Amino acid sequence: MSLTSSNKVETNKYELTVEVDAQAFEAALEKAYRQNVKKITVPGFRKGKAPRKMIEKLYGEGVFFEDAVNASYGAALQEAIDEAKLTLVDRPEVEVLEVSKEKGYSFKATCITKPEVEVADYKGIQVEKNVKEVTDEDVDAQVKKVQERNGRIVSVDDRAAQTGDNTIIDFEGYLDGEKFEGGSAEKFSLTLGSGQFIPGFEDQVVGHSVGDEFDVNVTFPEDYHAEELKGKAVTFKVKLHEIQTRELPELDDEFAKDVSEFDTLAEYKDDVRKKLAEENEKAADTEVENQLIDAVIDNMKAEIPEVMFENRITESVREFEYRLQSQGLNLETYLQYTGMEMDAFRKTFEEQAHKQVKIRLALEKIVELENIVPTEDEINEEYAKLAENYSMDVEKVKALIPAADLSLDLAVNKAIDLIKENADVTEGKKKAASKKAAAKKPAAKKADAVEDEAEKPAPKKKTTRKKAEKTEDAE
């Protein structure tokens, strides 16, 4: 291999010209011949026994060129990248320039490289730590959640359906008198007021009793994912089979004994208050770390290749897909359920991806500036933890994760610790919002709803499912 040129053509973009000599190319050609000969038929020879020269004479001198180049250019390219001292962030684009038995072959590789990074003022960052005060309302709300989780579902038939009830219904959807696809189900479980179905549907089930058969008239939203139903007025024929409600246990000492290790409700509430305070402390620490990360990003300078953001988005999509698979779904089905196109779905990860890429680059630069190097013991301890977490042999983990990669990850974590240890943190206390103030801040309620939603399994198919937009927090 010979690196004949290395030229910077743009910011973070290099073009390498590489030559592979005739001797190396001949070795690759011979290997390609041996891999393909069994599939080639030559008159006068048994299949797989034809000499290479006969095959080249019959099919042309270049019959094995493509396979030989494909099998050999990778090693030559890596040598050239190492010689040019480039750190790539994406797969290079390769263009073969010349090929011949006499001279070997040459190719051009267009490489996107890791950007130059400047980061300053990462020590002494001023932030305020605000720990939210735990109020009686917070404690009661948490106890209420536990009460609801321990409630039992009971069927009622002595009253009409109310908002909050779970109903079991059959329904058939009609557009202009004709049944439409995906608009029918039997013994479907629908919680009234949940917003599962398009506006107006659930409201029209309220007030009906078990055994009732009735029509629900609604209009699909203009932005509905099914093109043929956008803005269309339809009728659903509905039969109400069952009304279910949740019967909650009394909040007393017996309740405390059932759900905790405590004998009285007062003791249980004290423990809830203590745990909420611990959670608020952790949340405040996380917020401090987020402020520090934001400050480091603000103090960083780098021209980051767009492909780094796109690759991070792709990784996030892949991680999301793995989580879906663990719940028995796939991404294609999920997108159908939510009515989202892939481009729109990828966009939900965009902000997170930009932040992740930037902070990783900044932290790696701090690792370099501070000469942070994990010890061999720390690396081995991390391998042991990973092996335990994934129930794998340590040696297998080492084979999957190169020591250099693991070392850099550990060093990055140490860089975060360094930033935190050198930060100027002012202790504050965030007072609990009054009911009046809380009413003016619906975003807080929305955050709670998102948290609750995150605990639910992936959505099952609904005829009129609303769009879901969820992303993971930046790691």
Side-chain angles (χ1 to χ4, degrees), residues 26-45:
E26 171 57 30
L29 285 170
E30 183 65 20
K31 185 175 181 180
Y33 157 69
R34 296 189 181 282
Q35 289 176 338
N36 287 282
V37 65
K38 293 181 180 180
K39 300 180 287 185
I40 299 175
T41 300
V42 176
F45 294 90

Side-chain angles (χ1 to χ4, degrees), residues 131-143 262 265-281 429 432:
V131 183
K132 183 179 179 294
E133 180 185 355
V134 179
T135 66
D136 292 342
E137 289 80 3
D138 294 332
V139 174
D140 291 342
Q142 184 62 30
V143 172
F262 301 100
L265 183 62
E267 290 175 314
Y268 173 56
K269 284 189 173 184
D270 286 343
D271 184 65
V272 169
R273 185 182 295 276
K274 177 183 175 183
K275 289 177 178 176
L276 287 175
E278 291 171 353
E279 290 175 6
N280 289 350
E281 184 73 27
K429 195 170 185 67

Side-chain angles (χ1 to χ4, degrees), residues 194-475:
S194 65
Q196 270 183 301
F197 280 14
I198 58 177
F201 189 104
E202 295 165 27
D203 293 341
Q204 294 179 58
V205 179
V206 171
H208 287 283
S209 300
V210 172
D212 285 358
E213 297 185 29
F214 52 94
D215 289 349
V216 169
N217 297 300
V218 291
T219 300
F220 278 93
E222 292 291 344
D223 61 351
Y224 192 64
H225 65 272
E227 190 69 32
E228 68 277 11
L229 294 175
K230 288 182 177 180
K232 296 295 179 64
V234 298
T235 297
F236 287 93
K237 294 189 177 297
V238 180
K239 181 173 182 179
L240 178 55
H241 288 287
E242 188 177 357
I243 300 171
Q244 300 173 336
T245 189
R246 184 176 291 275
E247 191 175 80
L248 302 180
E250 291 292 328
L251 292 178
D252 53 21
D253 292 345
E254 289 303 314
F255 170 79
K257 292 176 184 177
D258 289 339
V259 301
S260 72
E261 60 191 58
F262 301 100
D263 293 327
T264 67
L265 183 62
E267 290 175 314
Y268 173 56
K269 284 189 173 184
D270 286 343
D271 184 65
V272 169
R273 185 182 295 276
K274 177 183 175 183
K275 289 177 178 176
L276 287 175
E278 291 171 353
E279 290 175 6
N280 289 350
E281 184 73 27
K282 290 179 181 177
D285 288 337
T286 299
E287 178 57 28
V288 165
E289 186 169 310
N290 288 336
Q291 291 180 52
L292 293 172
I293 286 173
D294 289 341
V296 170
I297 290 175
D298 289 342
N299 292 333
M300 180 187 74
K301 292 181 181 180
E303 294 185 42
I304 304 173
E306 187 63 29
V307 69
M308 294 189 72
F309 300 130
E310 289 300 317
N311 288 345
R312 180 57 244 183
I313 291 173
T314 298
E315 290 174 15
S316 296
V317 170
R318 190 179 297 119
E319 290 161 4
F320 188 90
E321 187 170 17
Y322 289 154
R323 290 193 296 275
L324 286 178
Q325 289 172 353
S326 70
Q327 298 177 23
L329 284 176
N330 58 54
L331 185 57
E332 182 180 357
T333 304
Y334 178 84
L335 294 178
Q336 290 175 354
Y337 287 158
T338 57
M340 296 182 74
E341 299 292 338
M342 177 56 80
D343 286 346
F345 180 67
R346 285 179 62 87
K347 200 168 183 63
T348 63
F349 295 98
E350 192 173 273
E351 182 179 351
Q352 162 193 315
H354 278 244
K355 186 171 184 177
Q356 289 173 333
V357 169
K358 289 177 180 178
I359 191 58
R360 178 73 183 198
L361 287 171
L363 291 173
E364 287 182 2
K365 186 63 179 180
I366 293 171
V367 167
E368 177 188 330
L369 294 172
E370 297 289 337
N371 193 28
I372 300 174
V373 181
T375 66
E376 188 174 344
D377 286 343
E378 289 172 331
I379 293 172
N380 288 332
E381 285 175 12
E382 188 64 19
Y383 272 128
K385 287 179 185 177
L386 291 170
E388 183 178 354
N389 290 341
Y390 291 98
S391 301
M392 293 175 64
D393 183 77
V394 172
E395 294 306 315
K396 287 185 178 180
V397 176
K398 288 182 177 180
L400 291 171
I401 305 175
D405 292 349
L406 188 64
S407 177
L408 181 55
D409 288 342
L410 290 173
V412 163
N413 289 335
K414 285 177 173 287
I416 294 175
D417 292 338
L418 181 145
I419 294 167
K420 291 162 65 174
E421 289 165 4
N422 288 274
D424 182 5
V425 181
T426 302
E427 293 286 342
K429 195 170 185 67
K430 187 183 297 182
K431 294 184 178 180
S434 65
K435 290 185 178 180
K436 183 176 180 180
K440 293 181 180 180
K441 295 184 179 180
K445 291 185 178 179
K446 184 176 181 181
D448 290 340
V450 171
E451 183 178 352
D452 290 341
E453 184 67 23
E455 296 177 356
K456 297 180 181 178
K460 294 183 179 179
K461 188 170 184 179
K462 308 297 181 187
T463 305
T464 53
R465 169 69 62 183
K466 293 184 176 180
K467 289 186 177 181
E469 296 180 339
K470 296 190 290 182
T471 58
E472 290 288 303
D473 292 335
E475 296 175 353

